Amino acid sequence: MPVKEVGSGTVFYSPEHPTEVLLFLKKGRVRLFYLSAGGKAFTTATLESGTFFGEMTLLGQSLYGKYAEAVTPCTLCVMSRDDVKTFFLSDLRISYRIVESLSKRLAETEQRLADFAFKQVPARLAALLLSLADKKSVNNQNESVSSDPAFVEIACTHEELSQMTGVHRETITRVLNNFRTNGLIELHRGKIVLLDVKALTELSIV
Amino acid sequence: MPVKEVGSGTVFYSPEHPTEVLLFLKKGRVRLFYLSAGGKAFTTATLESGTFFGEMTLLGQSLYGKYAEAVTPCTLCVMSRDDVKTFFLSDLRISYRIVESLSKRLAETEQRLADFAFKQVPARLAALLLSLADKKSVNNQNESVSSDPAFVEIACTHEELSQMTGVHRETITRVLNNFRTNGLIELHRGKIVLLDVKALTELSIV
DNA sequence: AATGGTCTGTGACATTGCTCACATTGGATT
DNA sequence: AATCCAATGTGAGCAATGTCACAGACCATT
């Protein structure tokens, strides 16, 4: 099974070079994003290690292009469709995991879609901050680092939040400042500290 | 394998009665939707026969509830998770179809998400009309009915379009009237005729 | 042909978030 | 300590969409 190593920041999949393969992310973190006509990026998913992806190739009908970028250095297993059929889907446990992983991503994506339809920007941003914090604390647990819920730090820039929410950077800044004014968060360069998780949760539900 | 028949309009899945089952839609059409705090519905997917679904139960973490409603009379196969494991995932062809179906839904949903992030309402609505027309013409082909692309009819109300786009009904009406003024469509009660598919496609890309 | 209920149309106005155009700040680098 | 650059902050105006409050139009049924 061919293995590929890519460095941080590498865009290893793009619509210009569509490849009829499926990928397994063995190690690292991957960001999937679209690029608008105006060149604006929108992140649809951030994948953690252990995820199967590449299903975009089964259809190849992306209107604007979908890209995959390594956020951290990554180890990828590259498979053809036949590989998948023979190796993986014939093994009950693996196929179950693939289905589970796809289901989870689908549920998350549908949830985000509903959020777009129902919620204003502040609620969506609050929800995003909480989910980032959640992911982070899960990772911390794995590394047996204390993850005090009363003191959660998120390392990201306003620009990154902008790309994850589909909201312009200036608006993100304004909303975050508003959160800070109300004592919900603490802002540092490239870093956000959640102070009032309860209030943020409250906000995210509206 | 237990089979269930439900009449048109039946809401057979709701967050109040979450069931740990997976479903196979043997016959009919199903609409999945969320309900906002304010009681507004948002349709995330319309499933045609031959689709596996119910993966929401694997997680059960919907913030607001997700509902499934029979749009037409439906025949459903009800399976437990174990059923799925033993029967389906052990059969290569079936498991491959499940994965394919999930992948397709995921790709569609991510595309819609990107549309929300990038496009204005007119573009999203044009895209929706085209995709509805597309589905319809596919169905027509199956029934060997002529599907002249120059004369595509869609049967739906503004309210339904509203729920599929997450845009208020009044806005839908205004945008549709704008389309009509420009000769792109023809409007009838509960029915829309696409006159200029090319121009609509143009619009949907912006 | 009268009635009633959905569906559609429309005006006026409020809001949100985008757009453009900068000023400022933090921290890494030399 | 001087410089530079990405990241952040902010104002003013504007366009798109939501909101509310109806009016009218179509169709099925009585």
Side-chain angles (χ1 to χ4, degrees), chain B residues 119-122 166-171 174 189:
Chain B
K119 295 176 181 173
Q120 310 268 72
V121 169
V167 168
H168 282 233
R169 203 271 310 158
E170 295 90 326
T171 305
R174 279 184 245 263
R189 162 170 271 237

Side-chain angles (χ1 to χ4, degrees), chain B residues 21-160:
Chain B
V21 294
L22 282 101
L23 300 160
F24 177 68
L25 179 57
K26 204 166 181 178
K27 192 162 151 269
R29 184 178 302 165
V30 166
R31 173 173 91 106
L32 302 182
F33 64 96
Y34 283 85
L35 228 42
S36 79
K40 196 180 152 198
F42 174 67
T43 305
T44 55
T46 304
L47 309 177
E48 304 294 329
S49 61
T51 309
F52 295 89
F53 67 110
E55 75 289 351
M56 51 273 205
T57 59
L58 288 178
L59 306 156
Q61 56 169 359
S62 50
L63 212 50
Y64 1 76
K66 195 175 188 178
Y67 297 80
E69 174 192 320
V71 178
T72 64
C74 289
T75 309
L76 297 158
C77 296
V78 183
M79 299 170 276
S80 72
R81 283 176 79 164
D82 285 340
D83 287 343
V84 180
K85 255 185 177 160
T86 45
F87 279 108
F88 284 75
L89 289 176
S90 55
D91 183 330
L92 184 59
R93 285 161 307 170
I94 307 266
S95 56
Y96 195 70
R97 267 191 53 199
I98 294 181
V99 170
E100 219 168 19
S101 154
L102 276 172
S103 299
K104 198 173 161 191
R105 281 184 59 198
L106 180 58
E108 273 173 9
T109 310
E110 292 203 331
Q111 180 68 57
R112 283 185 71 193
L113 200 53
D115 282 2
F116 258 95
F118 291 142
K119 295 176 181 173
Q120 310 268 72
V121 169
R124 296 217 309 273
L125 186 52
L128 175 61
L129 292 178
L130 290 170
S131 88
L132 289 176
D134 204 48
K135 269 191 187 166
K136 188 165 187 300
S137 79
V138 168
N139 287 347
N140 278 353
Q141 274 166 24
N142 292 344
E143 296 158 19
S144 68
V145 172
S146 103
S147 62
D148 185 356
F151 189 71
V152 187
E153 250 183 47
I154 303 164
C156 68
T157 67
H158 298 187
E159 180 60 32
E160 283 164 351

Side-chain angles (χ1 to χ4, degrees), chain A residues 14-196:
Chain A
S14 75
E16 289 89 41
H17 305 287
T19 44
E20 188 62 67
V21 294
L22 282 102
L23 299 160
F24 177 67
L25 178 58
K26 204 167 181 178
K27 193 166 151 268
R29 184 178 303 164
V30 165
R31 175 173 89 106
L32 302 181
F33 64 97
Y34 283 85
L35 228 42
S36 78
K40 196 180 151 197
F42 174 66
T43 305
T44 54
T46 304
L47 309 177
E48 304 293 329
S49 61
T51 308
F52 295 89
F53 65 110
E55 74 287 353
M56 51 274 204
T57 59
L58 287 179
L59 306 158
Q61 56 171 358
S62 49
L63 211 50
Y64 1 77
K66 194 175 188 178
Y67 297 80
E69 174 191 321
V71 178
T72 65
C74 289
T75 308
L76 297 158
C77 296
V78 184
M79 298 169 276
S80 72
R81 284 176 78 161
D82 285 341
D83 286 343
V84 179
K85 255 188 178 158
T86 46
F87 279 107
F88 285 73
L89 289 176
S90 55
D91 182 330
L92 183 59
R93 286 161 307 169
I94 306 267
S95 55
Y96 195 70
R97 269 190 51 198
I98 294 182
V99 170
E100 218 167 20
S101 154
L102 277 172
S103 298
K104 198 174 158 189
R105 281 184 58 199
L106 181 58
E108 273 173 9
T109 310
E110 291 202 330
Q111 180 68 58
R112 284 185 68 193
L113 200 52
D115 282 3
F116 258 94
F118 291 141
K119 297 176 181 175
Q120 310 269 70
V121 169
R124 295 217 310 273
L125 186 51
L128 175 60
L129 291 178
L130 290 170
S131 88
L132 289 175
D134 204 46
K135 269 191 188 166
K136 190 167 185 296
S137 79
V138 167
N139 287 345
N140 280 351
Q141 273 165 22
N142 291 345
E143 297 158 19
S144 69
V145 172
S146 101
S147 62
D148 185 356
F151 189 72
V152 187
E153 251 183 46
I154 302 165
C156 69
T157 67
H158 298 185
E159 179 61 33
E160 284 163 351
L161 294 175
S162 161
Q163 294 184 0
M164 288 192 269
T165 49
V167 168
H168 281 234
R169 203 269 312 159
E170 296 91 323
T171 306
I172 295 285
T173 301
R174 279 184 245 263
V175 175
L176 285 179
N177 284 333
N178 183 13
F179 285 179
R180 177 178 53 185
T181 304
N182 290 94
L184 304 185
I185 60 175
E186 201 173 275
L187 289 173
H188 305 278
R189 161 170 275 235
K191 194 170 70 177
I192 298 171
V193 183
L194 306 193
L195 297 177
D196 193 342

